[in-house]
């Protein structure tokens, strides 16, 4: 008998038992009152679906493309630091799971395994996440290393240049390890050495709070990799991203780990999609826990979604196999939700499948 968990919440509960409390709190927690985190599930759960009958859904095609690259279904792995906190194989387990399931992965610049080694283990779509550093030389160097080692896009995280207050980490006196990606780099005093909390002063000091949208133009002059903006939460910024040559946008609030309180990403997705007006691909992360969440995000204009914390749950419970199973569960749930809604393929998922929503999610009128 298969005694594995049957959904992501069961994985979450098991992972909590297995991970040391400070690591668990680091992964699970958010900033200040964690209002953003609880609002995220409320928002998803407030959206009801409108199923259509007698559509031929015998064959369901879940595949799609992100920046022109095919993935088996619209899911990617979020950039998230230090997978070793969940499993000794760390990002190597993650990249093997993503490759086996043919979904995308964005490696965090805070990975436990050096970026070149992760790239050489990948057969999946693999992108690299970094920041606009105060030292443009570091920004450029990391972009070149990503390009040379085979990453096919560069994701710039915009919402982590200011240190947020994560009280669980403060209580645990949590020490963030250094990433080997920064080994040997000549950086300012303190550099990327281990330090307390998630966005330690030394690290925050390296990420530029001075950067403005034209930094994308500058970076585009230094690399041929397509640039992705992660952390967009408003239509205004969606428009600016497009104007500054960004090829894709991740609607993200860093899983409620940066600004708190702010909106759930699913609430602001329609606003960003409208502002971007098809000129860039739009993805969403934050609170994806069910296949139906994927369908909701796609119906509201996302091309794909990403998962963050669930990666750690899968890894903590059973390494590569655990994460593969997490992805499989999401794929199966997504596939059956598509079928039950009368949607045989990705192109058929549109806003008409979105029904009742709570006042949390305000949407333009549904088609009559
Ligand atoms: C433990 C952990 C570490 C993270 N590290 C990074 C990071 O290094 N870079 C980044 O852009 N986002 C990071 N994030 C944010 C995720 O990319 C993502 O926005 C968020 O986790 C999505 O929400 P979810 O966890 O509810 O799926 C991290 C998230 C977690 C949980």
């Amino acid at each position: 008998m298969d005694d594995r968990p049957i959904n992501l919440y069961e994985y979450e509960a098991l992972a909590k038992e297995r991970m040391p409390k400070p690591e668990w709190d680091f992964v699970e927690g958010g900033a200040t009152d964690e209002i953003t985190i609880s609002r995220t599930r409320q928002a998803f759960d407030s959206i009801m679906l409108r199923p259509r009958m007698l559509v031929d859904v015998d064959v369901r095609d879940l595949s799609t493309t992100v920046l022109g690259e095919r993935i088996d279904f619209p899911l990617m792995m979020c950039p998230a630091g230090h997978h070793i906190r969940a499993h000794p194989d760390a990002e190597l387990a993650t990249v093997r799971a993503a490759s086996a399931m043919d979904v995308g992965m964005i490696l965090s610049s805070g990975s436990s395994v050096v970026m070149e080694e992760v790239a050489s283990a990948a057969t999946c779509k693999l992108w690299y996440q970094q920041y606009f550093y105060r030292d443009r030389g570091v920004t450029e160097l990391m972009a070149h290393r990503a390009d040379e080692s085979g990453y096919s896009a560069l994701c710039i995280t915009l919402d982590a240049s200011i240190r947020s207050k994560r009280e669980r980490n403060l209580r645990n006196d949590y020490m963030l390890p250094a990433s080997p990606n920064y080994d040997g780099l000549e950086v300012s005093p303190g550099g990327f050495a281990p330090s307390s909390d998630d966005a330690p002063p030394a690290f925050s000091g390296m990420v530029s709070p001075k950067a403005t949208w034209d930094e994308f133009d500058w970076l585009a002059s230094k690399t041929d990799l397509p640039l992705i903006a992660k952390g967009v939460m408003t239509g205004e910024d969606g428009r600016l991203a497009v104007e500054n040559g960004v090829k894709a946008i991740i609607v993200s609030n860093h899983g409620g780990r940066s600004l708190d309180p702010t909106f759930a990403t699913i609430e602001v997705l329609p606003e960003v999609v409208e502002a971007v007006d098809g000129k860039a691909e739009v993805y969403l992360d934050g609170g994806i826990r069910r296949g139906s969440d994927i369908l909701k995000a796609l119906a509201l204009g996302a091309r794909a979604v990403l998962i963050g914390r669930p990666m750690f749950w899968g890894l903590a419970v059973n390494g590569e196999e655990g994460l593969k199973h997490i992805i499989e569960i999401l794929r199966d749930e997504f596939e059956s939700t598509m079928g039950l809604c009368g949607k045989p393929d990705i192109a058929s998922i549109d806003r008409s499948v979105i029904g009742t929503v709570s006042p949390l999610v305000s949407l333009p009128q549904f088609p009559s």
Side-chain angles (χ1 to χ4, degrees), residues 80-309:
H82 294 291
H83 293 194
I84 202 163
R85 55 171 58 99
H87 193 274
D89 293 344
E91 287 82 6
L92 292 176
T94 312
V95 78
R96 286 181 193 130
S99 298
M101 299 302 293
D102 196 15
V103 295
M105 171 170 170
I106 307 182
L107 184 80
S108 166
S109 48
S111 56
S112 328
V113 179
V114 72
M115 59 196 281
E116 285 81 4
E117 196 181 340
V118 177
S120 62
T123 58
C124 63
K125 274 25 88 186
L126 187 63
W127 301 342
Y128 185 68
Q129 175 268 328
Q130 64 171 75
Y131 302 94
F132 288 137
Y133 299 97
R134 278 187 195 272
D135 180 345
R136 279 183 161 183
V138 177
T139 310
E140 199 181 332
L141 175 71
M142 300 310 264
H144 281 159
R145 281 176 62 189
D147 198 2
E148 274 165 25
S149 48
Y151 293 82
S152 55
L154 213 53
C155 166
I156 310 294
T157 296
L158 306 178
D159 58 3
S161 62
I162 298 292
R163 184 181 194 183
S164 64
K165 189 177 183 213
R166 299 189 196 160
E167 297 189 354
R168 299 197 206 196
N169 299 347
L170 292 172
R171 275 278 153 261
N172 293 329
D173 203 10
Y174 186 79
M175 297 292 284
L176 189 76
S179 167
N181 291 323
Y182 299 119
D183 279 358
L185 269 189
E186 284 301 318
V187 291
S188 61
F192 294 98
S195 44
S196 68
D197 204 0
D198 182 28
F203 174 71
S204 297
M206 291 302 299
V207 177
S208 176
K210 286 187 180 171
T212 53
W213 283 100
D214 49 14
E215 200 73 356
F216 275 108
D217 284 334
W218 167 79
L219 185 54
S221 74
K222 301 289 176 192
T223 178
D224 292 333
L225 292 177
L227 302 180
I228 301 167
K230 177 172 183 276
V232 170
M233 287 290 288
T234 59
E236 296 94 301
D237 283 346
R239 208 167 291 120
L240 281 166
V242 167
E243 282 168 20
N244 286 279
V246 162
K247 297 288 183 287
I249 287 167
I250 305 180
V251 176
S252 173
N253 55 31
H254 219 97
R257 301 161 74 81
S258 286
L259 175 65
D260 182 74
T262 188
F263 294 101
T265 51
I266 194 74
E267 293 177 86
V268 301
L269 176 66
E271 170 186 329
V272 177
V273 168
E274 195 178 324
V276 166
D277 196 22
K279 298 186 182 92
E281 295 189 350
V282 179
Y283 318 129
L284 171 140
D285 75 21
I288 298 287
R289 305 292 182 261
R290 288 283 183 190
S292 54
D293 300 332
I294 306 178
L295 187 119
K296 289 172 184 177
L298 264 60
L300 293 175
R303 191 169 181 92
V305 300
L306 302 94
I307 51 169
R309 294 176 181 86

Side-chain angles (χ1 to χ4, degrees), residues 55-63 335 338-339 342-346 348:
V55 179
D56 181 352
V57 286
D58 193 24
V59 178
R60 273 119 28 222
D61 181 1
L62 281 61
S63 67
E335 180 170 10
M338 277 175 68
K343 306 294 174 193
D345 54 25
I346 300 295
S348 64

